């Protein structure tokens, strides 16, 4: 089974997926995790042998960027972030499903 997990948040949103990915892999699943392209997430996922699909923008850059967005700019930036996130996560999901469909062998009785 192929599994694509997704989180976009700080470490508190990504870290809980590590245990789940490890257990799914123990059960024989191929697991990938969509997460922000921050180095700390890539290192943590690589540390447990899970492929990361970088999606959206860096959380660290969003939180520490200068200048911060104005209140009027937040809706536009949120829409751009979600569009970028969904585009990349959607592409990863389509790839997994396409691979799964190609590997299926027709069954007959």
């Amino acid at each position: 089974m192929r599994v694509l997990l997704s989180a976009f948040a700080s470490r508190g949103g990504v870290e809980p997926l590590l245990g789940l990915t490890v257990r799914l892999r123990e059960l024989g699943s191929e697991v990938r995790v969509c997460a922000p392209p921050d180095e700390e997430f890539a290192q943590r996922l690589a540390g447990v042998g899970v492929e990361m699909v970088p999606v959206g923008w860096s959380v660290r850059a969003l939180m520490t960027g200068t200048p911060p967005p104005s209140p009027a700019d937040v809706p536009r930036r949120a829409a751009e972030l979600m569009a970028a996130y969904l585009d990349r996560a959607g592409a990863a999901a389509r790839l997994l499903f396409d691979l799964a469909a190609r590997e299926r062998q027709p069954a007959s009785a």
Side-chain angles (χ1 to χ4, degrees):
M1 173 174 34
R2 289 189 168 92
V3 179
L4 179 65
L5 301 173
S6 180
F8 191 88
S10 63
R11 185 175 174 184
V14 176
E15 189 81 19
L17 296 180
L18 293 175
L20 180 58
T21 60
V22 168
R23 183 66 181 132
L24 286 167
R25 288 180 54 229
E26 288 171 354
L27 295 170
S29 296
E30 178 184 334
V31 183
R32 293 180 184 162
V33 175
C34 292
D38 294 274
E39 186 61 29
E40 66 183 285
F41 302 140
Q43 288 177 355
R44 288 293 290 141
L45 289 165
V48 296
V50 175
E51 182 179 345
M52 182 179 110
V53 178
V55 295
W57 301 334
S58 163
V59 171
R60 184 167 305 280
L62 287 172
M63 300 304 291
T64 61
T66 54
S70 69
D73 201 29
V74 170
R76 179 188 59 79
R77 289 197 58 189
E80 289 172 355
L81 172 62
M82 288 309 300
Y85 182 86
L86 293 173
D87 182 55
R88 184 78 169 125
R94 285 188 297 279
L95 175 63
L96 282 179
F97 289 122
D98 184 49
L99 290 173
R102 289 181 191 184
E103 291 177 359
R104 287 195 185 134
Q105 299 297 320
S108 61

